Amino acid sequence: MENYSKARTVEQPCPCPFPGLSSDTDEVRVKDGSKIRNLMRYALSRMEVKPRVLEGEGGHPKSEEGGSTTEVQEAPCSQAPEKMPSRQIVFTGTGKGVSKAITCVEILKRRVKGLHQQTRLLFSTVLEVWEPLEPAAGLDSLTVNRNIPAIWVLLSRDPLDASLPGYQAPGNFDALWAQAAKEDAGVAGGQRHGGRRKRGGGGGRGKGPGGPVRQTGRSREPGKGQSHGKGALAGQE
C-alpha cells in the first residue's frame, strides 16, 4: 500500500440490536475523541428530574430607550412543572470508543439508581477508500472493508427481559465493586507479608557495621591437609 493514500473513511450504519425499542429513545454515540464530561452532562439531563425555569421570566429584564438603559420592575421567578425524565437511554461506542462508552454507563448507573441494563456486543463495518498517489500510473482506487468491535448498552427504568443474554439487574454493580475491592485488599496484604525478608539463619558471610562478619553455624570438618599436619606433629613427638 505504499503507492496509496487513504482518501476517506465511511462508517456503515449499524441496525439497532434491541428489537421493539422506541424510535424516540435517546442515543449517546461515544467516539474516541468524545469528552466524558460533555456526554454525562447530556445523559444526566435526560435521566434526572430537575425543575426548569421558564424563559423570559425572572431575573432583571432590561429595555433600552433612546440610548439609556431603564431597569424594569423585577418579576417573581416562576418554575415550570418538573420535566419527566426519559425512561430509556442507549450508549453506543465503536473501536476505541468502547471503553469510554462503558465508563459512561457505569457513571450513570451510580448517579441514577434502579436502572436495568442490556448489553450487546457486535461488529461495525467501516469502508476505507484508498486513492493512488500517482493517477498517471494506471492504478485503480481501492475499497477496504474493516470490521471493528462495537458495543450497545440499553439502560432502562422499566424491567427488561432477564432471560436474554447480556442482562444485568439493578444493584449488581454494588456487589461487583465490593468483591473487586476485597480481592484487591487481599492481594495488597499478601504482597506486604511476602515482601519481608527473613531474619537470622543461613550460612555465608554478611556485612556488619564494622566490616565482614562471619555467620556462626556448623563447624567445618578438618581437611585432608590439616589431618596430615597433625600426624606429622605426632610423629615428631
Side-chain angles (χ1 to χ4, degrees):
M1 303 292 289
E2 62 275 5
N3 297 324
Y4 289 85
S5 64
K6 186 186 297 186
R8 62 184 180 275
T9 301
V10 181
E11 184 175 353
Q12 297 294 325
C14 182
C16 180
F18 304 113
L21 189 65
S22 177
S23 59
D24 58 349
T25 304
D26 297 314
E27 179 181 353
V28 181
R29 297 182 181 180
V30 184
K31 298 183 179 180
D32 183 24
S34 302
K35 293 185 179 297
I36 297 179
R37 179 180 64 255
N38 299 336
L39 297 173
M40 294 310 303
R41 184 183 296 115
Y42 172 78
L44 291 173
S45 67
R46 303 299 298 171
M47 297 297 291
E48 288 185 340
V49 180
K50 290 184 179 180
R52 295 181 297 116
V53 179
L54 291 178
E55 298 180 358
E57 295 186 15
H60 296 274
K62 298 181 179 180
S63 61
E64 296 183 358
E65 297 179 358
S68 62
T69 304
T70 305
E71 185 173 354
V72 183
Q73 185 178 1
E74 182 178 356
C77 179
S78 61
Q79 293 182 350
E82 292 183 350
K83 182 181 179 182
M84 294 301 297
S86 300
R87 305 297 300 175
Q88 295 177 332
I89 190 171
V90 176
F91 285 88
T92 63
T94 57
K96 296 181 179 180
V98 171
S99 59
K100 282 190 177 182
I102 297 175
T103 302
C104 293
V105 169
E106 296 300 328
I107 294 175
L108 185 60
K109 286 166 60 179
R110 284 183 170 270
R111 292 289 299 271
V112 182
K113 302 298 183 179
L115 293 179
H116 299 259
Q117 178 178 339
Q118 192 76 38
T119 306
R120 290 287 185 271
L121 300 177
L122 60 158
F123 286 94
S124 178
T125 304
V126 175
L127 300 180
E128 295 181 352
V129 180
W130 296 75
E131 298 291 345
L133 297 176
E134 298 180 0
L139 299 175
D140 299 331
S141 60
L142 300 178
T143 302
V144 181
N145 295 337
R146 291 199 312 119
N147 293 329
I148 58 177
I151 187 172
W152 286 63
V153 181
L154 170 63
L155 297 179
S156 175
R157 296 178 183 272
D158 303 325
L160 301 174
D161 190 357
S163 62
L164 296 177
Y167 172 77
Q168 184 174 340
N172 285 356
F173 66 94
D174 292 331
L176 179 62
W177 283 104
Q179 182 180 0
K182 186 182 299 183
E183 293 177 356
D184 293 342
V187 172
Q191 291 179 353
R192 286 196 300 269
H193 293 295
R196 296 180 179 177
R197 298 183 60 183
K198 296 181 179 179
R199 297 181 179 179
R205 296 183 179 180
K207 291 185 178 181
V213 178
R214 185 173 182 178
Q215 300 290 340
T216 59
R218 183 181 298 177
S219 60
R220 295 184 178 180
E221 297 180 357
K224 294 181 180 181
Q226 295 179 359
S227 61
H228 289 302
K230 291 181 179 180
L233 292 176
Q236 292 179 1
E237 293 177 355

